[in-house]
Structures are given as structure tokens and as C-alpha cells.
Amino acid sequence: MSTGTHLTYPHANGFHDGRLVLSRYRTGAGATAIVVREGTGEHLVAEVAPRRDGQVRPVYPDVARHTGRVAWIWDDALYVADEPGCAERVFTPDTLGLVTRGPGLALQDLTSISADGAHVLLMVEHGDQRTCLRFDLATGTTTELFTKPWFANHPHHSPFDESWVAFAHEGPATATPDRVWAWHDGQTRQILDQHEISDLPGQFVAVGHERWLHHDLGAAVIAYGESKAGPRGLYLVYPDRPPRLVARGERHWHCDVSRDGRWAVVDTTGPADRPGRGWQDAGDVSDVLLIAVATGEQVRLARTRAASHPFHPHPVFTPEGDAVLFNHLDADGTISVSRSPVP
């Protein structure tokens, strides 16, 4: 579709009113651009300057589903844009008055904007603590939702019910028995008991790459091939009922679910048809698998390659659910966004 571009993060939204928001990644240039793709044309939202630390990183915008306002984090600052070329820098930790727990405040690279574009979620790092803020774009005020004394990240609204804020306990998956969390009504709670789903007494299932659902209050979660315990594969987990293993998989990696809940998609750590699990004999291969949520049946849509961020397939459904988009990596290292129809 568009050479040199990649999709936003899977739990962010990259769609509005027939438009697709992509990031253009320039290896070694220290800069990137956020591009709105409409039909066969492209419109530049913003050119992102090189970071002060000199690191080359991807940018992962989030789009307000009802208004099209785009929000992203870059170089310790929050930006928003309502129209291409009209980006505004609206927040930095330097202006933060709510959290005053010592020096070294930093803003994580992922944000989540509400469907109406009124506020965004920010995760602020200060020492060993992580604080989640809700930032009101009209008033410039912040509300502290929670603080954790561990590496909390991946904040995103539940698209089914935005009063629920998802977040993760980040860290090595095989050493993290409490990965999936949410905030609701002033309280945080762990959503998945990883010991309870384990087939090995005393062991927990290593999970991650959760993304919350459009059609129900819950999340799709991957149990990784590296997990000593199983069952491994794609789960649906909920705050109000037991989890469900949708499809077994020894190499599942990232996931998405269509907005009607009918289909799921995963990419893989290595060829799905090769023996082994996790990264065993994976090479640089990643398959894109379509899964029927009702039956767990899996079919391969495409085969691509994978390397470090942003060169992960990160498959997502179009809002209509008629196709899967994913980042495709050519043998020469060129990244582009590819499309596979849902049969």
C-alpha cells in the first residue's frame, strides 16, 4: 500500500472516516512523519524532528474514532492535530504540577485518545513509579488515575466502555505473573489470573500483547510460546467472567479482533507450520493467521518478516472487518503496509 510506512500500535486506533493514519519511518535519519492516507493520496500531519537523545524510534499515533483528532507522544511531549499540518504541542512533564515525586519525569511513548477526542491517557515515569494521567485537552488539566511501584505501561481505553482503562505490568513475560490490568471507578484490578489457566501446578502462563475489544468488555491476550505452562495461544479475558481459550498456538505473538467479534488475527514468532514454539527456529519469518472466534479454526493469510520495532507485522482489522492490514518487511529491509482480504 505505502512503502516506508508502518501501522500504529495494535491497541491504538489508526482509522477515521475512510482514512488510515500511518507513520513514515526513516532508518538512520532520526526523524519520522505521521501521514494520513486517503484513497491513493497522502497528507502529512506532522514531520517529527530528531529526538534530543539521538535515538531513532517509531511514533505510534492514536486517532479519536468519532472526530479524527490525532494524538501522539514524541521526545517527552504530547502532540495533537485536528487537520494535516496543524500539529500542536500541548503537554510535557516539565509543566506537570500534579505529580511531584522527584526529578527525572519522563513520558512514555504510547498514548490513548478518547473516541470524542476530548482527553488522552498519559503514563508518566518518575523513579521506579509509573503514574497514569487523564489529560483534558480543552482545559489543560490532569487527573491522576493511579500510580504503581512497577513498570506500568500500554495504557488504552476500552473501546467498548471507555470508563475502563487498560494497562499492563510490563517486564519479561516469563517472570511476570500479573500482566493484564485495568482501572475502573477509581480502582485498579488484575483481569487475568495466570496461575488459574495453567496446566502445570505451581506455574503461571506467560502472557502479553493484550488489546481490549470493541464488541465486549474484555481483552484479547496472547499466551506466548516461551511460556513453560500452557495452554498457549489466543485468549479472550474479561473482568466479569472466566477467560476463554479461543485458539491454541505455539507461536502466537500480537493480536487483534474484528469490531463485530467474529474474527481474530495474530502474527507469529516464526513459521506457523514449523515444529517448535516461541522463537525456536523462527528465523525472521512471521505468519499472519486469521482465526474464527467461534471455532478457533486458523488459516494463514500471509507470510512476512520481522525484526525490531517497528518491523513487527502488528496485524489489525479494518473497521469494516473485511480486510487485515499488517506491516510487511521486504528482504532488503523496506517496510510497507500490506492488505489481505478476509475470505
Side-chain angles (χ1 to χ4, degrees), residues 13-99:
N13 175 51
F15 304 94
H16 175 69
D17 195 25
R19 299 178 179 180
L20 173 62
V21 174
L22 306 171
S23 290
R24 191 175 299 283
Y25 187 78
R26 297 183 176 92
T27 303
T32 187
I34 300 171
V35 174
V36 177
R37 183 175 179 83
E38 186 176 13
T40 58
E42 293 184 352
H43 305 279
L44 184 67
V45 173
E47 185 80 24
V48 180
R51 290 176 58 94
R52 290 169 296 173
D53 59 12
Q55 295 187 28
V56 180
R57 294 184 184 176
V59 61
Y60 292 114
D62 193 28
V63 183
R65 296 195 312 278
H66 298 163
T67 69
R69 173 176 278 176
V70 184
W72 67 94
I73 305 288
W74 184 255
D75 205 14
D76 248 6
L78 170 68
Y79 295 81
V80 297
D82 290 304
E83 297 292 339
C86 297
E88 183 181 0
R89 189 171 185 251
V90 298
F91 178 91
T92 71
D94 297 337
T95 62
L96 188 61
L98 180 64
V99 180

Side-chain angles (χ1 to χ4, degrees), residues 9 13 28 53 62 85 87 94 135 138 140 155 159 169 180 196 200 202 222 230 239 271 273 276 291 297-298 324 331:
Y9 204 78
N13 175 51
D53 59 12
D62 193 28
D94 297 337
F135 179 67
H169 184 174
V180 187
E196 189 175 77
L200 290 179
I222 296 294
D273 54 0
I291 300 172
E297 181 182 0
Q298 306 179 56
V324 168

Side-chain angles (χ1 to χ4, degrees), residues 9 34 59 116 124 147 151 154 178 192 215 267 326 329 342:
Y9 204 78
I34 300 171
V59 61
D116 62 3
V124 178
T147 295
F151 190 3
H154 289 280
D178 60 337
L192 175 63
H215 71 287
D267 56 15
F326 62 94
L329 182 62
V342 172

Side-chain angles (χ1 to χ4, degrees), residues 2-296:
S2 187
T3 301
T5 59
H6 67 84
L7 296 164
T8 191
Y9 204 78
H11 60 56
N13 175 51
F15 304 94
H16 175 69
D17 195 25
R19 299 178 179 180
L20 173 62
V21 174
L22 306 171
S23 290
R24 191 175 299 283
Y25 187 78
R26 297 183 176 92
T27 303
T32 187
I34 300 171
V35 174
V36 177
R37 183 175 179 83
E38 186 176 13
T40 58
E42 293 184 352
H43 305 279
L44 184 67
V45 173
E47 185 80 24
V48 180
R51 290 176 58 94
R52 290 169 296 173
D53 59 12
Q55 295 187 28
V56 180
R57 294 184 184 176
V59 61
Y60 292 114
D62 193 28
V63 183
R65 296 195 312 278
H66 298 163
T67 69
R69 173 176 278 176
V70 184
W72 67 94
I73 305 288
W74 184 255
D75 205 14
D76 248 6
L78 170 68
Y79 295 81
V80 297
D82 290 304
E83 297 292 339
C86 297
E88 183 181 0
R89 189 171 185 251
V90 298
F91 178 91
T92 71
D94 297 337
T95 62
L96 188 61
L98 180 64
V99 180
T100 55
R101 297 183 176 88
L105 295 179
L107 207 55
Q108 291 183 359
D109 290 342
L110 294 175
T111 189
S112 178
I113 191 167
S114 58
D116 62 3
H119 64 262
V120 296
L121 301 174
L122 305 170
M123 197 72 82
V124 178
E125 300 184 354
H126 43 103
D128 294 331
Q129 295 186 316
R130 308 297 191 275
T131 293
C132 185
L133 303 175
R134 178 185 285 138
F135 179 67
D136 187 296
L137 289 166
T139 65
T141 58
T142 56
T143 302
E144 182 174 343
L145 301 187
F146 62 85
T147 295
K148 293 296 180 185
W150 35 258
F151 190 3
N153 72 352
H154 289 280
H156 61 285
H157 297 93
S158 160
F160 180 78
D161 180 352
E162 289 194 343
S163 70
W164 289 78
V165 171
F167 67 101
H169 184 174
E170 186 61 272
T174 54
T176 308
D178 60 337
R179 164 77 187 202
V180 187
W181 287 76
W183 174 93
H184 176 67
D185 198 22
Q187 302 292 325
T188 61
R189 56 187 292 191
Q190 187 179 338
I191 301 301
L192 175 63
D193 187 331
Q194 294 166 229
H195 285 90
E196 189 175 77
I197 62 174
S198 174
D199 57 10
L200 290 179
Q203 299 281 347
F204 64 88
V205 179
V207 306
H209 285 147
E210 62 285 343
R211 72 98 63 247
W212 282 56
L213 308 170
H214 285 262
H215 71 287
D216 199 355
L217 184 62
V221 179
I222 296 294
Y224 298 126
E226 288 83 358
S227 178
K228 293 181 180 179
R232 305 170 194 89
L234 175 68
Y235 286 81
L236 297 183
V237 304
Y238 312 93
D240 59 353
R241 72 202 102 135
R244 175 191 165 202
L245 177 62
V246 174
R248 291 178 180 263
E250 302 297 281
R251 296 186 184 273
H252 289 178
W253 193 14
H254 304 93
C255 61
D256 191 32
V257 176
S258 61
R259 297 189 180 189
D260 62 4
R262 182 182 177 192
W263 299 102
V265 65
V266 300
D267 56 15
T268 63
T269 52
D273 54 0
R274 182 174 296 175
R277 58 184 176 90
W279 294 100
Q280 294 172 355
D281 299 319
D284 64 354
V285 174
S286 184
D287 286 331
V288 177
L289 307 179
L290 182 70
I291 300 172
V293 171
T295 65

Side-chain angles (χ1 to χ4, degrees), residues 299-339:
V299 296
R300 190 175 78 189
L301 292 180
R303 173 163 287 181
T304 184
R305 294 176 172 84
S308 59
H309 272 304
F311 304 103
H312 294 173
H314 284 170
V316 293
F317 287 95
T318 58
E320 300 77 15
D322 60 346
V324 168
L325 306 183
F326 62 94
N327 298 323
H328 174 67
L329 182 62
D330 285 331
D332 64 0
T334 301
I335 191 172
S336 59
V337 176
S338 289
R339 177 186 179 101

